[in-house]
Amino acid sequence: MRLPLRQQLKTNMKADERAHFSHVTNERTHRFDYLLFWALVIFVVISPRTAGAHALPSQARLQEGTRLAEAVRVDRAPRLDGALDDPLWQSAKPITDFRQREPQEGEPATEKTEVRILYTRHAAYFGIHCYDSAPSRIVATELRRDVSQGLDDHFEILINSNHDRRGGYVFEINPLGTQGDGLVVEEQSGSEGTDFDSGWDGVWTSEARITQDGWTATIEIPFTTLNFTKSKDVVWGLNFKRFIRRKNEEDLWAAYRRTYGIAKVSEAGELTGITDIGSGRLFVVKPYGLAQYDKQTGQNPEFPLTGGLDVKYGIRSNVVLNLTGNTDFSATDVDQEQFNLTPFPIFIPEKRQFFLENAGIFNFDIGDQDQLFFSRQIGIDSVTGNQVPINGGAKLTGTLGRLQFGVMDVDTRSSGPNPYANYALVRLKESLWGGSYIGVMGIDKRSGDVLDSFNQTGGIDTRLVFFKDWFLDAHMAGTQSPGYLSGNSDVGASLSYRSNWVEGKFERRKIGPNFNPEVGFIERTDSNETYGDVTFKVLGHKVQETHHLVLPLIRDFW
C-alpha cells in the first residue's frame, strides 16, 4: 500500500514540496564529492606510514616451522593438457609433505600428492598429481563453474600475492577440470561454510584428467590475475588443499590443524624463486552494446540502442578500482525461487559481479545473517525483485599497511515506483594482532522519495582473538531517517571458544524498534536476546561424534 500512496503524494505536491524535491535533486550531485573526499583522506592520512609498513611482510623473519617451496624458471609454458608428461615439469622439485586436517589431525595423508611449480615472465604454472589407490572410486560430478565442489574430489591453491599474511586468492579444480575461484579476506571463510568467498572471478587456465594411478591437473595463473607489481625476488604466501570425497579426508600442505584450514593465511607456507618477471598490474575492460528491434501493428518500428562499460584497474598491488556505467546484469545467475511463510524477510545472496568484487571488505556482520550493508538493496526493487537501472558507480578497495578500506558510490535512476537514489559508503578496518581488527562503516542514502529522502547508517565493530581459540566480537550501530529520533540503535557482543574438543558461544544483542538500515539486511527489530550454544566433540579412531547443546538463556521481544 505504500507505493500507491507515495505516487499519490507526489502527484499532489504543493509548491513548497516541489521546491524541496528540487533541492534534494541538486544535493545528490554533491554525493560523489563526499566519496572523493573520503578517498583522499584515506590516502593522505595513511600513505606516509605505508611505505615502510607495506615492506614489512616480505622482510619479516620466517615463522618457526614455516614451509618453503621454490618455483623454477622456464623459457616456455609447459603443455596445459591436464597431463604431466611434458619434460619441463621434471625440472621442478615436487612438494609432497601433505598432512591430514580431517579425520586424523596431523597424520600423514593416506594418498600421495605431488605439486610442481614453474614460471615464465608472465605466468605461474602448477602441475598437480593426486595419486589414488582406487582411481575407479574418485568422485567427480560437478561441471558448473564456481559452485561448491564439496561433494567431489578437488584440489585448492591459495596464493597470498602481496605476502601480508591476511588474505589471498584461491583457485579450485576437480578431476573433470571444473574451475572455482574466490578470495579469502581477513582469514575469514565463505558465508556458506566454504573455504573462500566465491564472488571474485579471475582469468586462469586449467585442465584435468583421471589416470590409472589417480588424477592430474595443469594450471596456468597469469601474474596480472594476481594483481601485483613487484618483479624482483617475489615472495608469496602459499598453501594447498586436497579433498578425497569417499574418505572425507582433507589434506593440507600447511595450516592443517582443525581450527585452521586453508583460510588461515597467517599459517601458510611461502613460495620463493620468482624473479625478473613482467608487471602483474590488473587491467580489465568489459564494454557491451545492445540493439533491439521493436515493431507494433500500426506504428513505426523502433531501434533502441544502449551500451555500457565496466573497468577493473589495479592502481597498485593491493589497491583496485572498479568503475561501471549503465551497468548490465544480464549475465547474472537467476536467483533460486524461495517461498516465505514467515513474517521475516529471506536472505538471498548477491550474484552481480560489480558488487561481488572484493565484497568481503564491506562485510559488517551484526548477528545471524543480519548485515549493516547488503548490496542487494541497490539496483533491485525490494518488493517485485525487478532491476532498477544503474547510471554508474565507482568502488575503490584495498589495503594500505594495516588498514583495509573500501569506498563505494552508486547512482540509480527512477524506474516505475522507484525514485532515483544515490548510495555512498565508506568502510575502514585496522588489523591488530592474530586476526583481530577494529573497524568503522558509514552509509549515506539519498532518494527522490519525499517521504523518505535520506537514510544514514553508521557503526563500529571489532574482533579480538586471544590465545588463538577465544574470539570476542562486538558492534554498535545506529541509523537516522526522517521522523525517527530514538530507538534507532543496535548493540551486541559475543564470546566464542573453538578447539578440537569443544565449541561454545555466548551472545547478547539488543535492537531498538526504530533501527532502520535501509541499505542493510535485518530480519527483525525491537528485540532483546541472550543466547548460548555449546558443542562437544568426541574423537574416535576414525570417527568424530558431535554432541550439540543449545541454551536459549533469555529471549524477550517487546
Side-chain angles (χ1 to χ4, degrees):
M1 296 298 295
R2 185 184 179 190
L3 294 180
L5 177 61
R6 182 190 307 167
Q7 292 174 338
Q8 181 180 0
L9 289 175
K10 285 184 180 179
T11 304
N12 298 292
M13 280 190 302
K14 298 178 182 179
D16 58 341
E17 292 175 326
R18 295 182 183 274
H20 172 73
F21 184 82
S22 176
H23 171 72
V24 173
T25 303
N26 294 331
E27 183 176 297
R28 120 178 127 143
T29 62
H30 300 290
R31 301 310 306 153
F32 195 75
D33 294 337
Y34 291 122
L35 174 70
L36 295 179
F37 169 76
W38 278 106
L40 182 62
V41 169
I42 294 171
F43 278 104
V44 171
V45 175
I46 304 301
S47 292
R49 68 175 184 178
T50 58
H54 180 67
L56 283 176
S58 60
Q59 297 174 357
R61 185 181 62 185
L62 291 178
Q63 297 180 4
E64 184 179 356
T66 298
R67 300 203 162 197
L68 298 177
E70 184 175 359
V72 175
R73 179 80 176 240
V74 292
D75 295 329
R76 64 169 179 86
R79 287 195 301 273
L80 300 172
D81 55 3
L84 301 178
D85 51 6
D86 191 316
L88 287 179
W89 292 114
Q90 303 307 315
S91 62
K93 181 180 179 181
I95 299 170
T96 59
D97 188 12
F98 282 71
R99 294 187 176 273
Q100 296 181 49
R101 181 173 180 242
E102 292 286 355
Q104 299 295 314
E105 177 185 331
E107 295 295 320
T110 61
E111 304 287 353
K112 182 180 178 182
T113 305
E114 290 184 350
V115 183
R116 290 178 166 85
I117 307 173
L118 306 174
Y119 76 97
T120 62
R121 182 171 174 78
H122 300 292
Y125 304 89
F126 295 84
I128 302 161
H129 195 156
C130 297
Y131 291 89
D132 200 306
S133 57
S136 62
R137 300 180 63 189
I138 292 175
V139 181
T141 60
E142 190 57 68
L143 292 171
R144 295 174 298 169
R145 194 182 197 276
D146 273 345
V147 300
S148 173
Q149 297 184 8
L151 298 179
D152 281 357
D153 286 53
H154 63 266
F155 192 90
E156 297 177 16
I157 302 172
L158 168 76
I159 297 177
N160 175 215
S161 58
N162 58 14
H163 200 214
D164 61 0
R165 298 186 178 275
R166 292 161 53 187
Y169 303 90
V170 180
F171 303 89
E172 181 182 49
I173 187 172
N174 72 358
L176 299 178
T178 305
Q179 291 184 347
D181 52 22
L183 296 176
V184 173
V185 179
E186 292 293 341
E187 299 191 330
Q188 298 297 306
S189 300
S191 59
E192 298 181 358
T194 56
D195 290 331
F196 52 88
D197 182 351
S198 61
W200 176 83
D201 283 326
V203 178
W204 52 294
T205 304
S206 64
E207 290 288 346
R209 60 176 62 181
I210 298 177
T211 64
Q212 294 181 350
D213 60 356
W215 63 281
T216 58
T218 53
I219 295 176
E220 176 190 31
I221 302 177
F223 292 138
T224 52
T225 298
L226 301 173
N227 187 36
F228 69 100
T229 56
K230 188 175 181 180
S231 61
K232 299 287 186 180
D233 300 324
V234 176
V235 179
W236 290 348
L238 183 71
N239 204 358
F240 305 107
K241 170 190 167 181
R242 178 186 178 183
F243 183 69
I244 306 173
R245 181 66 186 92
R246 71 177 185 278
K247 299 181 179 181
N248 280 335
E249 180 178 331
E250 183 178 335
D251 302 328
L252 285 100
W253 180 53
Y256 45 74
R257 279 188 56 190
R258 280 200 181 91
T259 54
Y260 289 163
I262 198 169
K264 193 69 172 177
V265 183
S266 59
E267 298 292 327
E270 292 191 346
L271 176 67
T272 61
I274 298 178
T275 189
D276 191 21
I277 59 176
S279 172
R281 189 180 299 275
L282 177 68
F283 183 61
V284 179
V285 179
K286 295 181 180 179
Y288 84 92
L290 180 63
Q292 296 178 335
Y293 176 79
D294 186 5
K295 178 66 171 69
Q296 298 183 15
T297 303
Q299 299 182 6
N300 295 326
E302 297 181 355
F303 300 91
L305 301 175
T306 187
L309 183 71
D310 289 285
V311 177
K312 183 164 59 175
Y313 177 64
I315 296 177
R316 50 192 295 182
S317 62
N318 48 6
V319 178
V320 178
L321 174 67
N322 291 83
L323 300 173
T324 184
N326 196 27
T327 318
D328 176 39
F329 295 120
S330 61
T332 301
D333 291 340
V334 177
D335 292 324
Q336 292 184 352
E337 187 174 356
Q338 301 184 42
F339 295 95
N340 187 10
L341 301 179
T342 74
F344 308 116
I346 294 178
F347 183 89
I348 302 176
E350 178 64 80
K351 295 184 178 181
R352 296 170 295 173
Q353 191 59 39
F354 174 78
F355 294 106
L356 286 175
E357 290 279 356
N358 292 334
I361 294 177
F362 296 100
N363 182 61
F364 193 114
D365 187 2
I366 53 178
D368 295 327
Q369 290 185 316
D370 295 349
Q371 299 287 334
L372 200 64
F373 170 68
F374 184 44
S375 58
R376 284 183 65 97
Q377 304 290 5
I378 303 175
I380 298 180
D381 188 308
S382 60
V383 177
T384 66
N386 294 331
Q387 177 179 340
V388 177
I390 293 180
N391 291 322
K395 180 167 61 174
L396 187 69
T397 56
T399 57
L400 297 173
R402 296 189 307 167
L403 179 73
Q404 189 174 26
F405 69 89
V407 182
M408 183 191 304
D409 187 270
V410 180
D411 193 82
T412 63
R413 56 182 177 269
S414 60
S415 175
N418 297 282
Y420 77 82
N422 181 268
Y423 306 83
L425 169 67
V426 175
R427 173 63 159 155
L428 304 175
K429 293 173 69 176
E430 179 80 2
S431 292
L432 304 175
W433 65 90
S436 303
Y437 72 86
I438 183 170
V440 296
M441 175 177 280
I443 306 171
D444 185 271
K445 174 188 174 182
R446 301 290 165 143
S447 170
D449 185 352
V450 295
L451 298 180
D452 187 17
S453 59
F454 73 93
N455 179 263
Q456 296 174 327
T457 305
I460 179 172
D461 67 330
T462 185
R463 160 167 279 210
L464 304 177
V465 181
F466 303 100
F467 310 109
K468 295 187 178 182
D469 294 326
W470 290 89
F471 305 87
L472 176 63
D473 296 273
H475 72 271
M476 294 188 298
T479 61
Q480 288 187 349
S481 299
Y484 296 108
L485 301 177
S486 62
N488 52 3
S489 65
D490 180 352
V491 180
S494 67
L495 179 65
S496 305
Y497 175 79
R498 184 172 68 241
S499 70
N500 290 353
W501 307 97
V502 64
E503 293 184 5
K505 184 175 184 179
F506 180 83
E507 182 177 7
R508 182 79 174 90
R509 185 181 180 195
K510 184 177 181 180
I511 311 173
N514 296 320
F515 182 65
N516 180 31
E518 292 185 6
V519 198
F521 178 86
I522 186 167
E523 285 188 334
R524 61 177 179 263
T525 59
D526 197 10
S527 69
N528 188 359
E529 179 175 331
T530 303
Y531 175 80
D533 178 284
V534 178
T535 300
F536 297 94
K537 302 177 181 179
V538 180
L539 301 179
H541 179 61
K542 290 189 176 181
V543 178
Q544 176 175 310
E545 298 179 2
T546 301
H547 302 275
H548 193 65
L549 175 63
V550 179
L551 306 173
L553 302 178
I554 302 175
R555 283 191 179 181
D556 297 326
F557 305 98
W558 69 91

